[in-house]
Amino acid sequence: MARAWAQGSGGGRVGPVDSLRCFAMTAVVAQHSGLMPFGWTGVWLFYVISGFVVTLSVIGREDDTGPGQRLFRFFGRRVRRIVPVYYLYVLAGIGFTLLLGGQVDGLAAGSLLGFFNNVTMALGRGELVGWPVGHLWTISVEMQFYLVYGVILVFAPRRIVVALLFAALPLAPALRGLASEGLAALAWPDEAKAYAIYSGPFLHMDAFASGSLLAFASRRQLLARIATPLAVLGLLALATYAATYVYVNHAIVGARGIDVLRNVVSGIVWGQHREIFAYSAIIAASAGLVALAATRHPALDWLLRHPVLRRIGEISYGAYVYHALAITIAWQLLFRHVDVPADGLPVPYRLLLFCSSFLLTIAMAEISFRCFEGRFLAPRPKGGALSARPSSSPN
């Protein structure tokens, strides 16, 4: 029988959920190393975890302070966790570009610093020359959601918050559908249209809402009862989506052989409304995984209990910020003088790139957490107890 997570008044950390972040971050690094084409789904797992952790950190801290003070505290925690290492990385990139005599795109820099980089990336802007920032749009998506959700969470009655979160589950795919219809009329390539849905503001609020609803269920001692059904339904949703679009690829698109697997959960997620439903299926599966992890369900707990995985999960936000730079450095050290085939690195080379960049990513994140990020977070209480601070990782 699944052991429910003991609810503390502070809504503290859950080790297995931190371990789940480790796997999400590893999937993203693997994709960017050329190994796992569907590794981008780890970002949506991050989104669900973020909604769970951030919401729990608020509803687990009920007190008599006024709503204005609670809102200030909410945004203060978000800023302290997200902004320091993010700004350090972005400003280092701007400085590096200028130091090499390059020009910095003002719109790109402004969008990165102002957290609307997802919009500029969808418009074909948002990059810095010589410094990898193409992955940071996901943090803009998260910050935009919490700018609105934080106000609702603090000021609205709990029943209204829960109702709005439930409403977000069908609203987000409906918005993706409307955006898809609008984009279909544009003379953009399919890749650009797919990316616009992929990075669109508020088009993925169902991911955060799913995690937030899990937090409310956990607070009401319901999560242990619904974790297994949620996980089963999530896997069924993902399997149904995949089977449907394998059939669509074969029967409608006319694909044969290995091509029937293209653009299902990897490649260009566009066409036949897959850009609407792919994210819903991935979010449903991610919510099931978070529910199992948060309740320490035996089906998953054996995999997530290792302290090394938990530590990597705890520092995974910094790891996400740094990983693209780590891959760039590893590539330069390993393959700078290697003739790369036109179709990319052979698989053994990709494995070497992944292993090297992953280790470098973890080293950079650990140093950053110990020497920089940790200074902005609430200290752990004496006696070894885990703090109740949120440690949301966006991607």
Side-chain angles (χ1 to χ4, degrees), residues 5-367:
W5 173 34
Q7 296 293 327
S9 60
R13 307 180 68 100
V14 188
V17 174
D18 276 335
S19 297
L20 206 55
R21 298 181 205 267
C22 171
F23 285 99
M25 188 271 294
T26 302
V28 174
V29 177
Q31 183 198 14
H32 291 163
S33 300
L35 272 184
M36 188 183 291
F38 54 88
W40 63 272
T41 58
V43 171
W44 272 254
L45 177 56
F46 270 132
Y47 287 161
V48 176
I49 293 172
S50 178
F52 175 75
V53 173
V54 171
T55 300
L56 198 62
S57 73
V58 173
I59 65 178
R61 294 171 180 258
E62 304 290 356
D63 53 36
D64 296 328
T65 58
Q69 187 174 350
R70 292 200 303 273
L71 185 65
F72 180 81
R73 193 165 58 199
F74 175 88
F75 286 123
R77 286 197 299 267
R78 295 286 79 225
V79 168
R80 288 195 304 272
R81 185 66 192 102
I82 298 296
V83 170
V85 66
Y86 175 88
Y87 266 41
L88 174 69
Y89 183 83
V90 172
L91 292 174
I94 293 172
F96 180 79
T97 301
L98 293 174
L99 184 65
L100 294 182
Q103 292 186 340
V104 174
D105 183 345
L107 179 60
S111 71
L112 286 162
L113 297 174
F115 295 105
F116 60 95
N117 185 247
N118 57 322
V119 177
T120 56
M121 288 289 291
L123 296 174
R125 303 278 292 274
E127 297 271 16
L128 295 178
V129 178
W131 191 266
V133 294
H135 60 298
L136 297 181
W137 64 266
T138 62
I139 300 174
S140 293
V141 169
E142 184 175 23
M143 293 292 273
Q144 289 159 9
F145 174 79
Y146 287 120
L147 183 64
V148 176
Y149 178 59
V151 175
I152 296 172
L153 184 60
V154 168
F155 285 96
R158 291 288 180 255
R159 66 181 184 279
I160 300 299
V161 175
V162 172
L164 290 173
L165 289 172
F166 272 113
L169 301 182
L171 178 60
L175 290 176
R176 290 196 290 269
L178 289 174
S180 176
E181 290 298 318
L183 289 165
L186 300 179
W188 288 9
D190 287 350
E191 294 91 333
K193 295 175 183 177
Y195 191 87
I197 301 292
Y198 182 68
S199 61
F202 300 104
L203 295 185
H204 305 286
M205 58 183 172
D206 46 344
F208 299 103
S210 296
S212 299
L213 286 169
L214 294 179
F216 278 104
S218 179
R219 184 66 175 163
R220 296 176 185 180
Q221 306 293 332
L222 297 173
L223 192 54
R225 277 189 279 169
I226 65 174
T228 300
L230 283 176
V232 171
L233 288 174
L235 290 176
L236 283 175
L238 186 57
T240 300
Y241 162 79
T244 298
Y245 281 96
V246 166
Y247 172 77
V248 166
N249 284 347
H250 176 78
I252 298 177
V253 179
R256 296 293 182 268
I258 193 65
D259 286 343
V260 299
L261 301 178
R262 292 186 184 276
N263 304 334
V264 177
V265 288
S266 63
I268 304 170
V269 184
W270 176 266
Q272 297 82 39
H273 304 303
R274 70 190 72 203
E275 68 277 5
I276 302 173
F277 300 115
Y279 303 103
S280 297
I282 291 162
I283 290 164
S286 297
L289 288 175
V290 173
L292 292 179
T295 55
R296 293 188 167 93
H297 193 285
L300 205 59
D301 191 53
W302 64 273
L303 181 64
L304 302 178
R305 66 180 59 164
H306 199 285
V308 172
L309 298 180
R310 296 183 183 184
R311 180 57 181 175
I312 294 174
E314 187 175 1
I315 63 173
S316 61
Y317 171 55
Y320 181 81
V321 170
Y322 295 129
H323 83 273
L325 179 61
I327 292 172
T328 300
I329 293 172
W331 177 284
Q332 291 295 321
L333 292 175
L334 294 170
F335 307 121
R336 188 174 185 177
H337 302 294
V338 174
D339 291 330
V340 179
D343 57 349
L345 287 172
V347 172
Y349 283 32
R350 296 181 199 178
L351 283 168
L352 178 60
L353 177 63
F354 166 72
C355 293
S356 303
S357 57
F358 185 80
L359 292 174
L360 181 57
T361 295
I362 299 306
M364 294 167 70
E366 181 68 33
I367 294 170

